[in-house]
């Protein structure tokens, strides 16, 4: 068993008051932002497991590795322990391959800021790709529950806006975006 240091949660610990991941709720119920200040979210096992999967994917993409290279790795995230197994690797690898198959300039786990438009709004984009005629926003969802669609996805549109503003517009004239979700634990 290989021990893996917990993924860096430096950015996640300073969660934006109007984070892209929860912005749809704030749009539908503006008072929810104030109401939730009273409550501290306890760590959730499924969220910690997703953080571990994101860390594996990020490391694999940045270091030219495959998901299988991490099989047998153990990591603790927010008090929960996880082993990376072959089944996990088989689920994660197609999304890694899909990113590698596009000859884009990729940016992984990129903090983007939308405060120019929305006060206190920033987040961490999983993967942003830049091509001469297209900008790709790729988001990993490791959950087993509800299917997430990229269609009219507020979180992804905010990430696209921030990524375009801080990175892509300085490197390409592209104005077309492809928003895609990698959700390997939801069949079909």
């Amino acid at each position: 068993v290989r021990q893996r240091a917990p993924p860096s949660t430096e950015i996640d610990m300073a969660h934006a008051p109007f984070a892209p991941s929860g912005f749809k709720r704030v749009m539908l119920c503006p008072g929810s932002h104030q109401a939730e200040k009273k409550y501290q979210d306890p760590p959730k096992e499924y969220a910690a497991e997703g953080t571990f999967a994101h860390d594996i994917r990020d490391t694999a993409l940045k270091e030219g590795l495959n998901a299988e290279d991490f099989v047998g790795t153990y990591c603790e995230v927010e008090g929960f322990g996880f082993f990376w197994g072959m089944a996990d690797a088989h689920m994660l690898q197609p999304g890694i391959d899909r990113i590698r198959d596009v000859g884009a300039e990729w940016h992984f786990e990129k903090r983007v800021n939308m405060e120019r438009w929305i006060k206190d709004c920033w987040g961490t984009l999983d993967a942003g790709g830049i091509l001469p005629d297209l900008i790709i926003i790729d988001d990993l969802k490791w959950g087993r529950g509800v299917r997430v669609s990229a269609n009219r996805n507020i979180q992804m549109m905010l990430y696209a806006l921030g990524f375009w503003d801080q990175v892509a517009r300085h490197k390409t004239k592209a104005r077309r975006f492809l928003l895609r979700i990698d959700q390997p634990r939801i069949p079909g």
Side-chain angles (χ1 to χ4, degrees):
V1 174
R2 293 173 295 200
Q3 287 279 95
R4 185 160 180 82
S8 171
T9 55
E10 192 174 298
I11 292 172
D12 295 335
M13 297 303 273
H15 206 272
F18 294 111
S21 59
F23 201 78
K24 182 177 179 180
R25 181 191 68 254
V26 174
M27 285 176 52
L28 296 173
C29 180
S32 66
H33 169 64
Q34 283 299 113
E36 71 183 7
K37 285 182 178 181
K38 299 176 194 171
Y39 305 99
Q40 173 132 9
D41 257 351
K44 294 181 177 79
E45 186 173 7
Y46 65 85
E49 186 180 29
T51 299
F52 182 42
H54 275 80
D55 184 56
I56 296 288
R57 180 174 113 146
D58 181 53
T59 304
L61 287 164
K62 286 178 177 173
E63 296 181 12
L65 300 170
N66 290 315
E68 191 174 302
D69 295 325
F70 298 90
V71 169
T73 300
Y74 175 80
C75 184
E76 283 193 22
V77 181
E78 295 190 27
F80 300 100
F82 304 101
F83 280 100
W84 190 254
M86 189 60 78
D88 298 314
H90 286 302
M91 284 187 282
L92 190 65
Q93 190 62 45
I96 291 171
D97 293 339
R98 185 170 67 168
I99 286 172
R100 288 180 177 155
D101 287 345
V102 177
E105 174 187 320
W106 285 99
H107 298 257
F108 303 113
E109 294 298 319
K110 175 76 177 158
R111 182 173 176 160
V112 291
N113 187 315
M114 289 67 68
E115 289 191 287
R116 188 167 140 186
W117 300 278
I118 303 165
K119 184 181 180 332
D120 296 330
C121 184
W122 68 83
T124 303
L125 167 66
D126 293 347
I130 302 169
L131 294 162
D133 61 344
L134 184 67
I135 300 164
I136 303 169
I137 304 300
D138 189 286
D139 194 30
L140 173 63
K141 300 294 187 194
W142 193 244
R144 300 175 200 258
V146 178
R147 178 180 302 281
V148 178
S149 172
N151 187 34
R152 298 187 185 273
N153 183 305
I154 300 296
Q155 177 184 8
M156 294 189 75
M157 289 189 283
L158 287 170
Y159 284 146
L161 178 63
F163 184 67
W164 172 82
D165 183 51
Q166 281 122 55
V167 181
R169 74 184 175 111
H170 304 290
K171 297 175 178 266
T172 183
K173 299 250 185 249
R175 295 296 183 263
R176 289 185 324 115
F177 289 82
L178 171 62
L179 308 180
R180 61 189 195 185
I181 302 269
D182 179 12
Q183 196 168 7
R185 297 170 92 185
I186 298 281

